Amino acid sequence: SHGGDDFEKHADLPGRVPSDFTDSDLWRNALKDARSHRNDADYDPYPSDPRSWRAIAGHLGTNAVDLLAEAEQYLKRKGCVYV
């Protein structure tokens, strides 16, 4: 069992990416980066150039779509019939 995905300490989530997940190190780093960007948005809501957030948001959106596709394929390979 992987222990679920609902963690009070959000920093723990990247460490829960299974080692046999496709490009697991890449996704661990992507999740850490996403958390960092979220914290930036929460605690520094007035960046010097607001347009910089647009590129970050676009990148995060693309990563989210890609991660969902990888997760679905991973679950299918593991025998999950619900995806």
Side-chain angles (χ1 to χ4, degrees):
S1 171
H2 63 79
D5 63 359
D6 188 16
F7 301 103
E8 184 67 30
K9 295 181 182 176
H10 295 121
D12 293 349
L13 180 61
R16 301 295 183 143
V17 175
S19 59
D20 61 343
F21 192 84
T22 303
D23 297 325
S24 60
D25 288 336
L26 180 138
W27 288 114
R28 282 186 195 102
N29 286 330
L31 287 168
K32 283 187 241 177
D33 289 346
R35 179 178 175 269
S36 175
H37 291 306
R38 199 269 338 250
N39 284 344
D40 290 345
D42 283 352
Y43 300 112
D44 186 16
Y46 304 106
S48 57
D49 183 2
R51 292 174 295 182
S52 67
W53 291 44
R54 184 170 309 215
I56 292 168
H59 179 72
L60 291 173
T62 298
N63 272 358
V65 170
D66 293 346
L67 179 57
L68 178 60
E70 289 292 343
E72 287 176 348
Q73 290 304 311
Y74 177 80
L75 291 170
K76 286 177 184 176
R77 286 193 307 274
K78 292 293 186 175
C80 181
V81 297
Y82 300 103
V83 291

